[in-house]
């Protein structure tokens, strides 16, 4: 079952679907090793391109369109819809793999993601034209069409647009692709559920691999029992690491560009699915599929800007529980503010709940439900806002609306309903349009500059800048009316209290006014007997009102602009642009925390080394004498306080303002050496350094004068919590512990105190090695080959403890890690299987033992033994170096050619 299936056509197809095209080369058994990481390593990995992705497919649009066709033709709607969704799933898989294969084989160039450094004149020109035209990318489509026509013709491609070898993948070895349909998330995706490797999860991986038919199947499996509505595909790419590091981000970006273009502008989809191809080409592919990296690495290079943060915010919609996602807020605080509020959190602990469902389809169905609801909300807000703004400008205009507001104030100022509505209007226009207060003014002004809004797929006869100008024109004329009313103490009328129930929902949210479900719905007053704007100009009773009065129309304008701001905040996540499929890093929140400097994965390592240096200095200064003092030092983590914002290239760039790491010092007096008493006093001026009386715990009584501090506590690799808020400026205590007793007992030595020196030195290294055991914030990674774990389990009936370390390094299990690495090198060099490894040291009597070793190997390659001479250290097996390989038995010499 686990045998690799090679060749161009790997699965026999008898289906009409895909009958005219070969299935792209791929494998159906798990290909990529599982990469386990803790929090710090996961943050570092976010800046590296992934080699494993998932494609999440929703067949609803394909099925819905087919259903309509079936009704017109008198066909069985359910069968026809199911068939369409299956062929849609297979077509997406085919097109994705086909394009990947074309780039891997050098038939299509890899297009650069960073246009600033690209040396492709034509490509740069068509991209500039696309952005300048607000998403009308006909020139870009023509450019891609010409590349597609030259596919496989390297000379033509090189001449077409100054392409060079840098635009084609580097091949040190033959690339391989794996493609799987995930039935159920399991230990085969264990790196998403565990931040470390241990015996238990290795056993889970082995069992899942041995029963992989329950969890995955080939992505072209056409079994009718498979769900085709909600589908999660996993694609693994085994490639040259150098090629991946240099071109990985460009490769994935090119895949998205080619896929969106080829889906619409070639006839491949129609050839794949003659029955539905034309239907599929009309579907907004970007709303039906989503990419995501399978783990901590990325498809798109992280950047601290509105586009990246918004795209990744969709992660919140994939969670199965928790607070209502910010996408449903009427006035979002902004992606950067949400990130600051959430802060550092757990990762690789199945925080998205993939294993909480009986199948991958159920998990994706829940995720897609939230996405579709949020997307529908965004589209409704956008379309309603644009419609209302157009009507207000068509029927009234800024000058007329402002004039009517002034007139209505004069005419109806004594009316209590008018007093309420003026209060609402003035408050809301201040929140949204007052540049002095600037609660939302800057955000609204930026709307017209954002690419996700200017290239929105819904046409509008006015530009966004025209809508913003209209809003600013009305605000600038209405705000002085409000200022004048305040000067006149207009709302200070005796016996008058504003009825706050009439505020717009967005204003209530901003002002944190609690809604009362028992209150009647607020209905504005038509002060001139009929609505100022309505759809049919009927009387009040029958009119379909757009807005009832000049005040109400002004509030409608404000609400519409606030809605456009809300849409702009999350449009990148929920309303993908044509030609750009989203690829959020669902499983790694540290992709944005790292790039926005909110988490430094190297801080703990640096702090540990700094504290070691200070403790060694303490030992040198105070450890040898009878002076009863030492300096205790710690370092605070750098902290992002806020973000500066700048609109650039159609998105908001966030520049974090970082409070740098600070050193905390405490002067500690230990009275043990002088008085023979196990007591100490700690004094510090920063008010935030927690008192830490030595490193050896015992029976302790302490007193501290507290002020204020913030402490963050990490209890385990998947938990991050805020500790109690305390601070100490003066502390004292007595404890029965080794340090104090040793110091007291050595007070008779006089000026030189050797026992105290030993204790200080021991404490220094004890603190250092304890800090190195941090499982969360010091980068650590493991790699597990599921097939190797399964092999060990089949051999022993369990995962033996001595195999855990080797398996976690991506190796098979032999005598030790060096033997396992030697076997791995031999297998890869000769494409064979190693059965036994015997290690012989150069000199068994040498001390310390030499790192140069000899491995005698028995394998399927030949009958006798082969020998590898190498250098290897058990603790740093990644530095393994091969000196020579040769056959000892003549059959091995013949097979190895030496």
């Amino acid at each position: 079952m686990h045998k690799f299936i090679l060749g161009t056509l790997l699965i026999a197809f008898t289906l009409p679907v895909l009958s005219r095209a070969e299935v792209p080369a791929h494998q159906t058994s798990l290909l990529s090793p599982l990469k386990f990481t803790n929090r710090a390593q996961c943050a570092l990995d976010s800046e590296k391109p992934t080699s494993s992705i998932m494609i999440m497919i929703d067949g609803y649009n394909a099925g819905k369109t087919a259903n309509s066709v079936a009704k017109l033709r008198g066909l069985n709607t359910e069968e026809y819809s199911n068939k369409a969704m299956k062929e849609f799933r297979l077509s997406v898989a085919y097109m994705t793999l086909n394009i990947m294969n074309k780039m891997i084989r050098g038939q299509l160039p890899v297009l650069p993601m960073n246009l600033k450094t690209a040396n492709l004149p034509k490509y740069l020109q068509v991209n500039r034209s696309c952005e300048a035209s607000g998403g009308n990318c006909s020139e870009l489509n023509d450019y891609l069409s010409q590349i597609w026509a030259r596919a496989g013709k390297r000379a033509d491609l090189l001449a077409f647009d100054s392409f060079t070898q840098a635009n084609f993948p580097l091949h040190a070895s033959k690339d391989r692709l794996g493609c799987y349909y995930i039935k159920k998330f399991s230990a085969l995706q264990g790196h998403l559920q565990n931040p470390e490797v241990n015996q238990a999860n290795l056993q889970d991986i082995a069992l899942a691999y041995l029963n992989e038919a329950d969890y995955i199947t080939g992505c072209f499996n056409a079994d009718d029992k498979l769900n085709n509505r909600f589908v999660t595909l996993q694609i693994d790419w085994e490639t040259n690491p150098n090629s991946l590091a240099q071109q990985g981000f460009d490769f994935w970006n090119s895949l998205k560009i080619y896929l969106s273009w080829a889906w619409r502008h070639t006839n491949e989809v129609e050839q794949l699915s003659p029955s539905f191809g034309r239907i599929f080409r009309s579907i907004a592919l970007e709303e039906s599929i989503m990419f995501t990296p399978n783990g901590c690495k990325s498809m798109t290079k992280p950047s601290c800007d509105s586009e990246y943060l918004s795209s990744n915010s969709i992660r919140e919609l994939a969670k199965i529980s928790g607070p209502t996602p910010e996408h449903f807020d009427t006035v979002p605080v902004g992606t950067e503010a949400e990130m600051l509020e959430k802060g550092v959190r757990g990762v690789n602990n199945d925080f998205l709940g993939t294993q909480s469902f009986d199948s991958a389809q159920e998990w994706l169905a829940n995720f897609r439900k939230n996405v579709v609801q949020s997307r529908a909300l965004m589209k409704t807000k956008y379309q309603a806002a644009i419609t209302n703004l157009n009507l207000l400008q068509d029927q009234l205009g800024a000058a007329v609306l402002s004039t009517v507001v002034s007139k209505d104030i004069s005419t109806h100022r004594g009316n209590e309903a008018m007093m309420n509505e003026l209060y609402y209007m003035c408050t809301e226009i201040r929140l949204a349009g007052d540049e002095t207060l600037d609660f939302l003014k800057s955000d609204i002004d930026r709307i017209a500059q954002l690419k996700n809004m200017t290239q929105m797929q819904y046409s509008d006869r006015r530009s966004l800048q025209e809508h913003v100008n209209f809003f600013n024109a009305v605000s600038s004329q209405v705000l002085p009316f409000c200022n004048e009313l305040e000067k006149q103490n207009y709302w200070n009328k005796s016996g008058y209290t504003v009825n706050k129930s009439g505020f717009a929902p967005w204003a209530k949210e901003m002002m944190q006014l609690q809604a009362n479900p028992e209150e009647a719905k607020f209905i504005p007053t038509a002060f001139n007997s009929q609505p100022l704007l309505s759809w049919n100009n009927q009387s009040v009773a029958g009119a379909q009102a757009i807005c009832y009065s000049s005040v109400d129309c002004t509030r409608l304008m404000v609400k519409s602009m606030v809605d456009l701001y809300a849409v702009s905040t999350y449009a990148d996540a929920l309303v993908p642009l044509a030609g750009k499929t989203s690829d959020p890093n669902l499983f790694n929140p540290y992709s944005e925390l790292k790039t926005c400097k909110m988490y430094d994965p190297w801080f703990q390592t640096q702090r540990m080394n700094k504290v070691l240096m200070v403790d060694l200095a303490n030992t040198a200064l105070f450890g040898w004498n009878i002076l009863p003092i030492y300096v205790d030092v710690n370092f605070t983590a750098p902290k992002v306080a806020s973000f500066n914002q700048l609109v650039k290239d159609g998105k908001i760039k966030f520049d974090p303002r970082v409070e740098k790491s600070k050193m905390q010092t405490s002067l500690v007096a230990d009275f043990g050496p002088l008085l023979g008493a196990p007591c100490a006093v700690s004094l510090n001026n920063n008010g935030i350094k927690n008192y830490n009386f030595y490193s050896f715990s015992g029976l302790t009584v302490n007193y501290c004068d507290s002020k204020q501090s913030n402490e963050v506590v990490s209890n385990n690799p998947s938990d991050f919590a805020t500790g109690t808020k305390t601070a100490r400026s003066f502390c004292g205590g007595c404890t029965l512990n080794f340090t104090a007793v040793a110091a007291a007992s050595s007070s008779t030595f006089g000026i030189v105190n050797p026992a105290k020196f030993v204790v200080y030195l021991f404490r220094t290294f004890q603190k250092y090695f304890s800090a190195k055991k941090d499982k969360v914030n010091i980068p650590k990674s493991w790699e597990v080959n599921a097939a190797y774990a399964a092999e060990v389990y089949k051999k022993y009936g369990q995962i033996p403890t001595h195999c855990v370390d080797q398996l976690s390094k991506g190796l098979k299990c032999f005598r030790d890690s060096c033997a396992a690495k030697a076997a791995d090198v031999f297998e890869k060099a000769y494409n064979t299987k190693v059965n036994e490894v015997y290690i012989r040291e150069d000199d068994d009597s040498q001390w310390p033992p030499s790192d140069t070793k000899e491995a005698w190997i028995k394998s399927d390659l030949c009958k006798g033994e082969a020998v590898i001479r190498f250098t290897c250290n058990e603790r740093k097996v990644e530095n393994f170096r091969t000196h020579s390989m040769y056959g000892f038995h003549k059959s091995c010499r013949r097979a190895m050619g030496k």
Side-chain angles (χ1 to χ4, degrees), residues 546-584:
I546 297 169
C547 48
Y548 289 85
S549 66
S550 61
V551 174
D552 190 36
C553 289
T554 303
R555 295 181 65 200
L556 179 64
M557 175 201 69
V558 176
K559 176 188 180 300
S560 297
M561 294 307 300
V562 171
D563 282 348
L564 287 181
Y565 159 67
V567 171
S568 73
T569 305
Y570 294 108
D572 289 298
L574 296 168
V575 191
L577 304 179
K580 190 173 183 181
T581 306
S582 60
D583 60 343

Side-chain angles (χ1 to χ4, degrees), residues 83-108:
K83 182 182 179 185
M85 288 192 292
K86 179 196 289 187
E87 296 199 13
F88 181 74
R89 182 254 295 182
L90 295 171
S91 296
V92 170
Y94 173 89
M95 293 290 285
T96 303
L97 283 177
N98 187 41
I99 291 169
M100 290 181 71
N101 270 302
K102 283 179 181 291
M103 287 193 289
I104 286 169
R105 294 169 182 169
Q107 296 175 6
L108 286 175

Side-chain angles (χ1 to χ4, degrees), residues 436-735:
T436 304
L437 299 176
D438 198 14
F439 289 111
L440 292 175
K441 181 68 167 60
S442 296
D443 296 315
I444 289 174
D445 284 343
R446 280 196 296 256
I447 291 173
Q449 303 174 52
L450 300 180
K451 185 166 60 177
N452 62 3
M453 296 296 285
T454 58
Q455 296 185 18
M456 191 75 74
Q457 298 177 49
Y458 313 105
S459 61
D460 181 22
R461 53 196 175 84
R462 283 188 174 90
S463 68
L464 282 171
Q465 189 60 58
E466 288 178 277
H467 294 313
V468 172
N469 292 342
F470 170 65
F471 169 77
N472 287 334
V474 174
S475 298
S476 65
Q477 296 178 60
V478 170
L479 277 169
F481 300 157
C482 296
N483 294 335
E484 187 62 30
L485 290 173
E486 287 184 357
K487 288 179 182 178
Q488 297 171 6
N489 294 319
Y490 174 65
W491 290 286
N492 289 343
K493 180 180 177 181
S494 178
Y496 169 76
T497 303
V498 65
N499 179 4
K500 295 182 180 179
S501 66
F503 278 112
W506 69 266
K508 289 181 179 179
E509 185 176 297
M510 281 196 72
M511 295 186 292
Q512 299 182 341
L513 298 177
Q514 296 296 323
N516 185 353
E518 297 181 359
E519 286 179 346
K521 181 181 178 181
F522 173 76
I523 299 177
T525 302
F527 295 102
N528 297 311
S529 75
Q530 66 180 21
L532 182 59
L533 277 183
S534 62
W535 289 107
N536 50 16
N537 292 320
Q538 296 176 5
S539 64
V540 177
Q544 297 177 5
I546 297 169
C547 48
Y548 289 85
S549 66
S550 61
V551 174
D552 190 36
C553 289
T554 303
R555 295 181 65 200
L556 179 64
M557 175 201 69
V558 176
K559 176 188 180 300
S560 297
M561 294 307 300
V562 171
D563 282 348
L564 287 181
Y565 159 67
V567 171
S568 73
T569 305
Y570 294 108
D572 289 298
L574 296 168
V575 191
L577 304 179
K580 190 173 183 181
T581 306
S582 60
D583 60 343
N585 204 330
L586 289 182
F587 300 105
N588 184 7
Y590 286 84
S591 59
E592 55 262 40
L593 292 172
K594 168 72 169 61
T595 196
C596 289
K597 300 181 181 180
M598 284 190 60
Y599 178 74
D600 180 1
W602 291 116
F603 170 72
Q604 183 63 17
T605 302
Q606 293 166 352
R607 175 166 62 182
M608 175 182 71
N609 292 332
K610 289 178 182 177
V611 170
L612 172 65
M613 293 298 103
V614 173
D615 285 348
L616 287 173
N618 264 320
T619 301
L621 290 172
F622 307 115
W624 57 273
N625 56 35
I626 62 171
L627 290 175
I629 59 173
Y630 70 92
V631 179
D632 191 17
V633 172
N634 198 1
F635 297 87
T636 63
K639 178 183 177 183
V640 173
S642 62
F643 292 92
N644 295 322
Q645 301 181 15
L646 173 68
V647 177
K648 188 176 181 181
D649 300 328
K651 47 196 172 187
I652 303 172
K653 302 285 186 179
F654 298 114
D655 180 22
R657 293 177 58 250
V658 181
E659 295 178 359
K660 295 182 179 180
S661 173
K662 296 179 182 178
M663 183 171 69
Q664 299 175 335
T665 58
S666 299
L667 184 65
V668 180
D670 173 11
F671 298 113
L674 293 179
L675 306 177
C679 297
V681 173
S682 169
L683 178 66
N684 70 81
N685 294 324
N686 51 57
I688 56 176
K689 174 69 178 70
N690 285 330
Y691 174 59
N692 180 20
F693 184 48
Y694 289 118
S695 56
F696 301 93
S697 299
L699 180 62
T700 305
V701 178
N702 287 334
Y703 166 77
C704 287
D705 180 19
S706 293
K707 289 185 180 178
Q708 180 182 1
S709 87
N710 293 298
E711 181 182 11
V712 178
V713 181
S714 176
N715 300 312
N716 59 61
S718 61
D719 176 48
F720 199 100
T722 301
T724 55
K725 294 184 177 181
T726 58
R728 282 87 173 175
S729 59
F730 173 83
C731 291
C734 295
T735 185

